Amino acid sequence: MMNTSNGMISAPSSSSSPAANPQSPGIKTYFKTPEGKYKLHYEKTHSSGLLHYAHGKTVTQVTLAQLKERAAPSTPTGTSSGYSASSGFRSATARLLGTGNGNRALSFVGGNGGGKNVSASSRISGSFAASNSSTSMTNTNFDGKGTYLVFNVGDAVFICDLNSQDKDPVKSIHFSNSNPMCHAFNPDAKDGHDLLIGLNSGDVYTVSLRQQLQDVSKKLVGALHYNKDGSNKEGATDSTFPAIRDPTQFTVDKAKYSKSNPVARWHICQGSINSIAFSYDGSHLATVGRDGYLRIFDFSTQKLVCGGKSYYGALLCCSWSMDGKYILTGGEDDLVQVWSMEDRKVVAWGEGHNSWVSGVAFDSYWSSPNTDGSGEHVMYRFGSVGQDTQLLLWDLEMDEIVVPLRRPPGGSPTYSTGSQSAHWDNVIPMGTLQPAPCKRDVPKLSPVIAHRVHTEPLSGLMFTQESVVTACREGHIKIWTRPSVSETQSNSSEATSTIALLSTSFPKDNKASLSSKIVGSII
């Protein structure tokens, strides 16, 4: 059973609710790509009877949490020993996007101050209750390892076993008067508090995911609470940050107290920050917001590097490539933009969604079926999901895409493979926010596939080594397995043989387009 008034945690039964994820006609359980067929493997959802009335006020976000095989401490430490400022933690906190206003959305990056134990008297709006190790019960079926999906729906956070066929979550954490908006997982947290949960009140809680899964009691165990104001003592009302002098300017303020958390406040812009993402090496931070701008910062110097405007409306999501060379953005203009860190500008844009783009991600586990292994030509695979309920997959190869050349005044644009256009001619100064470029000056991408994967608008997309994970706003998650190695090799051989047979009939310059047409025809 579940009690939403005192932060109770319940372990739902293994049976799935028939109404939780009804079968919908017209949605296939697979989709085809050049490398093979992706098949629906598992579905995860919540029990519809556990939802609070505020369900419709939040958007589901998904975090992948992999617990390593190691012995878990009996109880997390009472005070925070400080999070590591490594790129691993910064990458994890990138998921703490904070949907409040811009002056507090980034307040939890790289925290290193003291924390506070959550007790019945110190919990926020009665949302949590803490139990100590003397009263907690141990789950003997939990072996201390595994891969889990953490997702929020309404006033609750749910935890599912990724590799289990069971649709229902193994844990549910409920809040009162505050809704979870975002979360992050840091597998290398030195103090054992590896799961962070951000609330729409601006507060952040950290807990040990392993300990929550080990404990079968109805109370959250060993949570630490970080106040949104950075107060360094219980009940303090004075903010640790000075008042914002100019809301239109980017400013960074450090906390007044050495043991405060957050340790700094980044005021990015007026309006909300919709998403943030750290590069994999932790050197740069990308933000997108209500004002429609992508902003990229050097994290060590805390200075703006570059950025630019959407074609229309707000930007809702962003993501880095593994090598840090490219950034994806998506938003209310229904487009996906590809930014280059080297050029500090948009180098491609993709059209294919029929509504707002709500999630983008690079597939760092994918490799081109036709690669020669030399590493000279790198092709990127990335995906996007939108409120049109579609998943789109895209391929990006900068040496092969058609780039517009400079247009003479009054003339029509000409095109060339891999050439540079007027859009690239001028070096963009550091710290410049650019207007949206003319679409005729930027190469256009077409999706490899477009597949309707849910009945409700989509809100999240993740890639794992074995699968693709999609999530909709209503809290339903689908796991799609990748094609088998044999299927991928078979498709690659077929495409290569066909290209070799027909390429003698075409000019050399047309082989790239010929390859894409043939690969597309065999799916």
Side-chain angles (χ1 to χ4, degrees), residues 71-345:
S74 58
T75 305
T77 55
T79 58
S80 173
S81 60
Y83 285 106
S84 166
S86 66
S87 62
F89 177 71
R90 291 198 292 265
S91 297
T93 52
R95 296 300 303 277
L96 284 173
L97 52 93
T99 55
N101 54 33
N103 64 5
R104 71 181 186 188
L106 303 182
S107 298
F108 312 110
V109 175
N112 62 1
K116 293 176 286 186
N117 282 320
V118 179
S119 65
S121 61
S122 65
R123 62 183 184 269
I124 174 173
S125 302
S127 60
F128 278 107
S131 67
N132 54 44
S133 59
S134 63
T135 60
S136 62
M137 301 172 60
T138 301
N139 180 5
T140 57
N141 294 325
F142 176 65
D143 59 5
K145 61 181 179 179
T147 304
Y148 297 88
L149 293 175
V150 180
F151 62 101
N152 62 288
V153 184
D155 60 352
V157 168
F158 298 95
I159 305 172
C160 285
D161 186 341
L162 175 64
N163 298 312
S164 170
Q165 297 184 22
D166 192 354
K167 288 185 177 181
D168 284 348
V170 296
K171 283 282 187 176
S172 60
I173 306 172
H174 290 257
F175 304 78
S176 64
N177 303 325
S178 290
N179 287 352
M181 303 295 291
C182 48
H183 28 81
F185 180 77
N186 175 25
D188 301 318
K190 293 182 178 180
D191 61 357
H193 283 238
D194 47 17
L195 179 62
L196 298 87
I197 302 173
L199 308 182
N200 62 357
S201 60
D203 291 70
V204 170
Y205 287 86
T206 69
V207 298
S208 165
L209 175 60
R210 177 177 278 104
Q211 192 169 17
Q212 310 313 309
L213 294 170
Q214 286 176 329
D215 189 84
V216 296
S217 69
K218 296 182 179 180
K219 295 181 179 180
L220 188 67
V221 179
L224 297 179
H225 169 213
Y226 296 93
N227 189 278
K228 63 181 179 181
D229 296 323
S231 303
N232 66 337
K233 61 181 180 178
E234 192 66 42
T237 57
D238 294 335
S239 174
T240 189
F241 299 111
I244 296 174
R245 294 173 293 277
D246 186 353
T248 64
Q249 298 297 316
F250 166 64
T251 57
V252 177
D253 294 301
K254 295 183 178 180
K256 297 177 181 177
Y257 311 107
S258 60
K259 294 185 178 181
S260 294
N261 235 339
V263 296
R265 180 190 65 196
W266 289 39
H267 177 76
I268 304 296
C269 60
Q270 289 181 301
S272 64
I273 300 297
N274 292 328
S275 181
I276 72 173
F278 278 95
S279 58
Y280 280 84
D281 63 1
S283 61
H284 290 85
L285 171 67
T287 72
V288 293
R290 178 69 255 175
D291 62 357
Y293 276 96
L294 165 72
R295 293 173 172 86
I296 303 170
F297 300 91
D298 185 308
F299 188 70
S300 60
T301 63
Q302 301 178 343
K303 292 183 178 180
L304 179 68
V305 176
C306 60
K309 187 79 167 57
S310 66
Y311 286 102
Y312 170 81
L315 287 175
L316 304 176
C317 51
C318 59
S319 179
W320 289 83
S321 63
M322 181 70 78
D323 56 14
K325 292 182 178 180
Y326 297 101
I327 305 166
L328 301 173
T329 64
E332 295 178 356
D333 54 10
D334 305 350
L335 302 175
V336 177
Q337 289 189 352
V338 183
W339 276 76
S340 168
M341 280 297 291
E342 180 181 357
D343 298 304
R344 297 200 292 271
K345 60 185 69 176

Side-chain angles (χ1 to χ4, degrees), residues 399-437:
D399 291 333
E400 297 294 340
I401 64 174
V402 178
V403 179
L405 292 174
R406 181 191 301 272
R407 296 193 314 278
S412 300
T414 57
Y415 299 88
S416 174
T417 300
S419 300
Q420 301 288 307
S421 74
H423 178 61
W424 280 269
D425 286 348
N426 297 323
V427 177
I428 302 300
M430 292 284 290
T432 301
L433 290 178
Q434 308 170 56

Side-chain angles (χ1 to χ4, degrees), residues 421-504:
S421 74
H423 178 61
W424 280 269
D425 286 348
N426 297 323
V427 177
I428 302 300
M430 292 284 290
T432 301
L433 290 178
Q434 308 170 56
C438 178
K439 290 183 179 179
R440 293 176 296 179
D441 286 341
V442 184
K444 176 184 176 181
L445 299 177
S446 296
V448 176
I449 65 102
H451 182 69
R452 184 172 180 240
V453 291
H454 288 256
T455 59
E456 300 293 336
L458 294 171
S459 60
L461 170 67
M462 289 191 306
F463 293 96
T464 73
Q465 187 170 359
E466 297 83 14
S467 60
V468 178
V469 181
T470 59
C472 75
R473 294 173 61 97
E474 301 301 312
H476 304 305
I477 300 172
K478 294 185 178 182
I479 296 96
W480 308 82
T481 56
R482 296 179 183 271
S484 63
V485 175
S486 59
E487 184 181 3
T488 300
Q489 292 175 345
S490 175
N491 285 349
S492 177
S493 299
E494 181 181 350
T496 303
S497 300
T498 307
I499 293 170
L501 180 63
L502 299 179
S503 60
T504 55

